[in-house]
Amino acid sequence: MMTDTPTREINPTREINSVLVANRGEIACRVFTTARAMGMRTVAVFSDPDAAAPHVRMADEAVRLPGATSAETYLRGDLVIAAAHAAGADAIHPGYGFLSENAEFAQAVIDAGLTWIGPPASAISAMGSKVNAKKLMADAGVPVLGDLDPAAVTADDLPLLIKASAGGGGRGMRIVRTLDELSDAVAAAAREAESAFGDPTVFCEPYVERGHHIEVQVMADTHGEVWAVGERECSIQRRHQKVVEEAPAPLVERIGGDLRAQLFAAARSAVSAIGYTGAGTVEFLADETGRFFFLETNTRLQVEHPVTELTTGADLVEWQLRVAMGERLAPEAPAATGHSIEVRLYAEDPAADWQPQSGTVHGIAVDSDTAFGLLARPGIRVDSGIESGSEISTFYDPMLAKVISWAPDRRRAAAMLARALADATIHGPVTNRDMLVNTLRNPQFLAGDTDTGFIDAIGLDVLSTPLATDDDVRVAVSAAALADAEQARRDAQVQRGLPSGWRNLASAHRVRRYLDTRTDTEIEVRYRYGRDGVELPDLPECTVVAATADRVAVDVAGVRRTLRVSRYADLVVVDGPGASVALRRVPRFVDPSAIARPGSLLAPMPGSVIRIAVAEGERVTAGQPLLWLEAMKMEHTISAPADGVVATLSVQAGQQLSVGDVLAVITADDAENTDTTNDSATAQ
């Protein structure tokens, strides 16, 4: 038991009757689930884009925060506290992100006479700056990586990792391998940190190639007890943001209990050194030998907390609330059993360099055993703040759901999770679902060989391979055509009893055309209804058993399968066993106004223009940065696709864009145009 914590703030026993969650989406729903089970009233806050969001309806009461952006709404601590008073809440839970690690907000909540469900403001402040936190940890005997001043970096220090001093989630991070890219990387990281956290401070540390991201869940009460509640491994990441998380950590399992004991001791020392209370996570970077270094302490609940809950049986949100009310932890932390894996289902396209997506989620359903809760037997848990009909906004993180499995062993947990994802209904924006399933089924993953270089080692092109094979697509397109034909007959105003495509005399095959949305490939389907059923001349191995407007059964080489067909305007989605194919109907006639001018550079994602580096008339070369977009809190560079001249620049800084908006028109680099170059017009 840890008792030498003189700086820990002792709270008297205090009842919480109504809790406001200063957050949105999945984490708000997660906290509401436990608070309601404990008999508490729940209060939501919401921005204008979130007015119809599930977390708003789930709460007993909700208070509007006028505005759309995070800065106008969820980052306004004064508005959140005012909302708590207006709704009669007596406590505030910050969730994660937004204000969850803001010491000033934590203190303001306490000063307003409300219960803060989190660590003391002093602990948040101590860990709020990663630079200061490292010094504190070094003084406490926790191994740390050295910090480097960006202005003093030499070639011997490479490679480096630039990090934002405030915040986390991979925002403000850049890997630097050459000195000539250092200044641009520092500037970009600072801009991203300022946008995400309101603090542009960045620092450098040595970059450990192919390390293991290991973190220890801690829980501390106000009476001196500190739990280390198991460890997690979160090494599979994209852009320094976690994609797959699991407990226990494969690296720790491979090396043995001594490493686990060392990690737990270091984590307890880290939080005891700052008088911590409540839930938190101490993150470490380890190499293959088990040597580890302190990264940071997240003074809040983590996105990946469900894998710890499912392996230990502890409801961490319940313990957050109980600790905030002054309860004592038991002398021993709950023991872990079995294995749990969590994946984050995002609206993003891994095959297109992780481009974030937005738009309407037409349909989403994952077969599961519980939502936000514990499991009594092997199964699937889904934590989500999204439902069918929800809108993925450009203002917030594009996560659709966290899908989590628990099983007695790791391979079974991976197999169950992969099956649940592969069979899920996910209609709308492109997602990373196929990439997640491929990861969970990859032999290297199943062997537990998962370090931070996993995606690069396997290859993003391999992991992003669609689950639907070329043969699956051909069958799906035929099913879409037959279902559309049945839909047309069902909607017919006259003679709907006649067979589809009926003629007095035999005629040519009917033709429908679709675009495979993942490959932009146009596919033509020929079919004809005859006396003996449906003829599919391009699929002789396929026999149509039955077809309705929303379901088609076929025998393919003697194997029967049933495909479900869903429609949303011109989008047609065909779901089969373990694979899904999204198609768009190709119109018979094309509107000339919809055809982009040759050389047009289109917005690949929704977002806002934050910087422009060229002007009209300027000559550019292939790969040269033209402008930068901010989408889902990340900065994205738009580069010239080929050598040429900027004939038209259609956007300006601060402009909000939709997918497909024209950014610029690049014409062929012609000698006659070279005198129009205007280098002085480059935006700073």
Side-chain angles (χ1 to χ4, degrees), residues 134 142-147 203-208 285 293-295:
K134 281 190 173 184
V142 179
V144 301
L145 285 171
D147 291 338
F203 67 98
C204 299
E205 67 183 18
Y207 179 60
V208 179
L285 185 65
F293 304 94
F294 171 82
L295 282 178

Side-chain angles (χ1 to χ4, degrees), residues 656-674:
Q656 192 71 29
L657 301 172
S658 299
V659 174
D661 284 352
V662 177
L663 304 173
V665 177
I666 310 297
T667 60
D669 189 1
D670 193 295
E672 296 178 358
N673 296 327
T674 57

Side-chain angles (χ1 to χ4, degrees), residues 133-142 144:
K134 281 190 173 184
K135 184 178 185 307
L136 282 172
M137 294 303 100
D139 292 344
V142 179
V144 301

Side-chain angles (χ1 to χ4, degrees), residues 134 137 140-146 208 211-216 231-232 249 251-252 255-270 282-296:
K134 281 190 173 184
M137 294 303 100
V142 179
V144 301
L145 285 171
V208 179
H212 293 262
H213 190 115
I214 311 293
E215 56 189 39
V216 178
E231 89 285 342
R232 305 184 282 257
L251 176 70
V252 177
I255 291 178
D258 286 347
L259 176 57
R260 178 171 289 120
Q262 292 170 22
L263 286 164
F264 284 9
R268 284 192 291 261
S269 295
V282 185
E283 300 191 358
F284 301 95
L285 185 65
D287 63 19
E288 282 292 327
T289 68
R291 185 180 58 155
F292 62 88
F293 304 94
F294 171 82
L295 282 178
E296 61 182 315

